[in-house]
Amino acid sequence: MLSASLTLDPASTVAPVRRRTFGTFVEHLGRCVYTGIYEPGHPAADEDGFRRDVLALARELGVTTVRYPGGNFVSGYRWEDGVGPRERRPRRLDLAWHSTETNEFGLDEFVAWARKAGVEPMMAVNLGTRGIAEALDLLEYCNVESGTHLSDLRAANGSKEPHGIRMWCLGNEMDGPWQIGHKTAREYGRLAAETGRAMRMVDPGLELVACGSSGSGMPTFGAWEATVLEEAYDVVDFVSCHAYYEEHDGDLASFLASAADMDHFVDAVTATADGVGARLKSKKRIDVSFDEWNVWYLSRFQNAEPPRDWPVAPRLLEDHYNLADAVTLGGLLISLLRHSDRVTSACLAQLVNVIAPIVAEPGGGAWRQTTFHPFAQASRHAAGDVLRVQLDSPSHETARYGTVTALDAVATHDAEQGATTLFAVNRSVDRPLRLTAGLRALGPVRLAEATTLSGPDPYARNTADAQDTVAPRPNADARLDGAALEVTLPPVSWNVIRLARP
Ligand code: AHR
């Protein structure tokens, strides 16, 4: 048995919990839109063709914002194709995913879906094959109240009220050679700055995201952010980060420690942004929008045969997650939360079917993958302020990330409600961990709930027929001992411990 300790002190805070940390992503990719959120004719479909079962799971997941429509897809997308009468909408080739886009579902449908789901829409503009004029058209269509060609067109298409979209991504992964219209940092930085400036002329209150690196392993990582921000610093509010993790060659210990890379990624990007700000003598601070993150078995996708034809909504990137994936995802959430001073927006990529916490079968049921649970618990219980948690934990070596602690944890404290929640992972592959948490600074508390997501098999999964094989269970071992919490965290586990006023 390993043993570790930490102390919770409500006076030591990082930042408020940012509700936008719990965003996700809906891309026109595979079955995320078609037979994911939208499936007219499905027994659970509502009058708009939106699947009620998926809507209910999205609400249960606690999603706050949803990024749309891509992703790589956006770099070839013409938003106009997806508005107006359906019978006039063109079918197009989607080069990013080698699919056919029917355009049966588009912008107005997405905004209507977002309203029903109770989430904030976050829109990406195409800076791959398009530019300033098309971004301005899209903005006019979405946000101008009335009295112009495109705002009146929106009203004529059935949306009288403006969509009022605040948050806009200026392109997607423009550093990636796979991106349609891939650019150098200087080319993209100039285009992002000029597009953003023009968009602000229409609506100064927008929140704009410049593309950062598609991963911390990109050859241009660091230099890309610096150059883009040299061009766009005064225009944008956020720089994006994207990161996907997978277990390589059975190296579970490294995989479980993926948050070490995310920590480094955020620290490096904020340092780079602050460096540019200092050189520009700017008082402004650029935040991080971690608008794509997840576990993704990307190498399986890269090794698979690309589609030969142009299918409509094929099964693509339908990763089937296990317990270890969920624990790793929990660790990534801990990293995002502990960086809440700079990461003020994030999107789990994606919401349904495509590397997603929710699976929806065409004509069939919808169910929760293992990864659903840490996200849902964190979104539900993270409240108030994020606390700075000092850990004292044994550590071990990993091949990818060097020495890492077995325990990783973050806590939130809601002073008004008197609620404190500890989120913790045990990253040891084989040893339980005895945790002692000092609670004296919290004053009198009671144990409201302790759950663990764990089990004998780190590769156990949920299926349509056995949906709760991996789900949070009460951790009966947790108890308060004076001003300390004592709990055993099983190996490869995600744990949530809630303390309340007595
Ligand atoms: O989320 C899947 C893809 O990953 C997105 O389309 C792209 O932005 C990233 O490379």
Side-chain angles (χ1 to χ4, degrees), residues 25 27 71-72 97 172-173 244 292 296 350 355:
F25 179 25
E27 177 166 4
N72 297 339
W97 302 108
N172 176 69
E173 293 191 348
Y244 293 100
E292 286 188 32
W296 176 10
Q350 300 192 2
I355 45 172

Short mmCIF file of all heavy atoms in Angstrom, two decimals, residues 25 27 71-72 97 172-173 244 292 296 350 355, ligand 1:
data_model
loop_
_atom_site.label_atom_id
_atom_site.label_comp_id
_atom_site.label_asym_id
_atom_site.label_seq_id
_atom_site.Cartn_x
_atom_site.Cartn_y
_atom_site.Cartn_z
N PHE A 25 -17.57 19.31 -28.00
CA PHE A 25 -17.31 19.65 -29.39
C PHE A 25 -18.20 18.79 -30.27
O PHE A 25 -18.30 17.58 -30.06
CB PHE A 25 -15.82 19.34 -29.62
CG PHE A 25 -15.25 19.56 -30.98
CD1 PHE A 25 -15.79 20.46 -31.88
CD2 PHE A 25 -14.11 18.85 -31.37
CE1 PHE A 25 -15.22 20.64 -33.12
CE2 PHE A 25 -13.53 19.03 -32.61
CZ PHE A 25 -14.10 19.93 -33.49
N GLU A 27 -18.55 18.11 -34.26
CA GLU A 27 -18.01 18.35 -35.59
C GLU A 27 -18.81 17.55 -36.61
O GLU A 27 -19.33 16.47 -36.30
CB GLU A 27 -16.53 17.90 -35.64
CG GLU A 27 -15.89 18.04 -37.02
CD GLU A 27 -14.37 17.92 -37.03
OE1 GLU A 27 -13.78 17.64 -35.97
OE2 GLU A 27 -13.79 18.11 -38.11
N GLY A 71 -12.90 21.87 -35.88
CA GLY A 71 -12.37 20.68 -36.46
C GLY A 71 -11.89 20.89 -37.90
O GLY A 71 -12.04 21.93 -38.54
N ASN A 72 -11.21 19.85 -38.35
CA ASN A 72 -10.68 19.87 -39.71
C ASN A 72 -11.77 20.15 -40.73
O ASN A 72 -11.52 20.72 -41.78
CB ASN A 72 -10.01 18.52 -40.02
CG ASN A 72 -8.82 18.25 -39.12
OD1 ASN A 72 -8.24 19.17 -38.54
ND2 ASN A 72 -8.43 16.99 -39.00
N TRP A 97 -12.57 14.49 -44.01
CA TRP A 97 -12.90 13.16 -43.52
C TRP A 97 -13.32 12.22 -44.65
O TRP A 97 -13.88 11.16 -44.39
CB TRP A 97 -13.95 13.25 -42.42
CG TRP A 97 -13.44 14.11 -41.30
CD1 TRP A 97 -13.85 15.36 -40.99
CD2 TRP A 97 -12.37 13.79 -40.40
NE1 TRP A 97 -13.12 15.87 -39.94
CE2 TRP A 97 -12.19 14.92 -39.55
CE3 TRP A 97 -11.53 12.69 -40.21
CZ2 TRP A 97 -11.22 14.96 -38.55
CZ3 TRP A 97 -10.58 12.73 -39.20
CH2 TRP A 97 -10.43 13.86 -38.39
N ASN A 172 -9.04 26.53 -37.53
CA ASN A 172 -8.76 25.32 -36.75
C ASN A 172 -7.41 24.74 -37.14
O ASN A 172 -7.13 24.56 -38.33
CB ASN A 172 -9.85 24.26 -37.04
CG ASN A 172 -9.54 22.95 -36.33
OD1 ASN A 172 -9.61 22.87 -35.11
ND2 ASN A 172 -9.19 21.92 -37.10
N GLU A 173 -6.59 24.48 -36.15
CA GLU A 173 -5.32 23.76 -36.34
C GLU A 173 -4.59 24.19 -37.61
O GLU A 173 -4.18 23.35 -38.43
CB GLU A 173 -5.55 22.24 -36.34
CG GLU A 173 -6.00 21.73 -34.99
CD GLU A 173 -5.98 20.21 -34.85
OE1 GLU A 173 -5.83 19.49 -35.84
OE2 GLU A 173 -6.13 19.74 -33.70
N TYR A 244 -4.33 15.13 -27.59
CA TYR A 244 -4.96 13.81 -27.50
C TYR A 244 -3.93 12.83 -26.98
O TYR A 244 -2.75 12.91 -27.34
CB TYR A 244 -5.44 13.35 -28.89
CG TYR A 244 -6.57 14.20 -29.44
CD1 TYR A 244 -6.33 15.20 -30.38
CD2 TYR A 244 -7.88 13.99 -29.02
CE1 TYR A 244 -7.38 15.97 -30.89
CE2 TYR A 244 -8.93 14.75 -29.52
CZ TYR A 244 -8.67 15.74 -30.46
OH TYR A 244 -9.71 16.49 -30.96
N GLU A 292 -9.70 21.33 -27.78
CA GLU A 292 -9.79 19.91 -28.15
C GLU A 292 -8.88 19.15 -27.20
O GLU A 292 -7.67 19.39 -27.17
CB GLU A 292 -9.34 19.65 -29.60
CG GLU A 292 -10.34 20.11 -30.63
CD GLU A 292 -9.99 19.68 -32.04
OE1 GLU A 292 -9.39 18.60 -32.23
OE2 GLU A 292 -10.30 20.45 -32.97
N TRP A 296 -7.62 9.60 -27.40
CA TRP A 296 -7.96 9.24 -28.79
C TRP A 296 -6.91 8.25 -29.29
O TRP A 296 -5.71 8.58 -29.28
CB TRP A 296 -7.99 10.50 -29.68
CG TRP A 296 -8.24 10.24 -31.15
CD1 TRP A 296 -8.63 9.07 -31.74
CD2 TRP A 296 -8.11 11.18 -32.22
NE1 TRP A 296 -8.77 9.23 -33.10
CE2 TRP A 296 -8.45 10.52 -33.43
CE3 TRP A 296 -7.73 12.54 -32.28
CZ2 TRP A 296 -8.42 11.15 -34.66
CZ3 TRP A 296 -7.71 13.17 -33.52
CH2 TRP A 296 -8.05 12.49 -34.70
N GLN A 350 -14.94 14.45 -28.66
CA GLN A 350 -16.11 15.21 -29.04
C GLN A 350 -17.28 14.78 -28.17
O GLN A 350 -17.06 14.07 -27.20
CB GLN A 350 -16.37 15.02 -30.52
CG GLN A 350 -15.17 15.51 -31.35
CD GLN A 350 -15.42 15.63 -32.84
OE1 GLN A 350 -16.50 15.40 -33.34
NE2 GLN A 350 -14.37 16.00 -33.59
N ILE A 355 -14.95 9.71 -30.88
CA ILE A 355 -14.11 9.84 -29.67
C ILE A 355 -14.91 10.53 -28.56
O ILE A 355 -14.53 11.59 -28.06
CB ILE A 355 -12.76 10.54 -29.96
CG1 ILE A 355 -12.93 11.79 -30.83
CG2 ILE A 355 -11.78 9.59 -30.59
CD1 ILE A 355 -11.61 12.61 -30.97
O1 AHR B 1 -11.41 15.88 -33.09
C1 AHR B 1 -10.94 15.25 -34.24
C2 AHR B 1 -9.97 16.11 -35.04
O2 AHR B 1 -8.80 16.28 -34.30
C3 AHR B 1 -10.41 17.51 -35.35
O3 AHR B 1 -11.19 17.61 -36.48
C4 AHR B 1 -9.10 18.22 -35.56
O4 AHR B 1 -9.17 19.57 -35.24
C5 AHR B 1 -8.13 17.46 -34.69
O5 AHR B 1 -6.98 17.12 -35.38
#
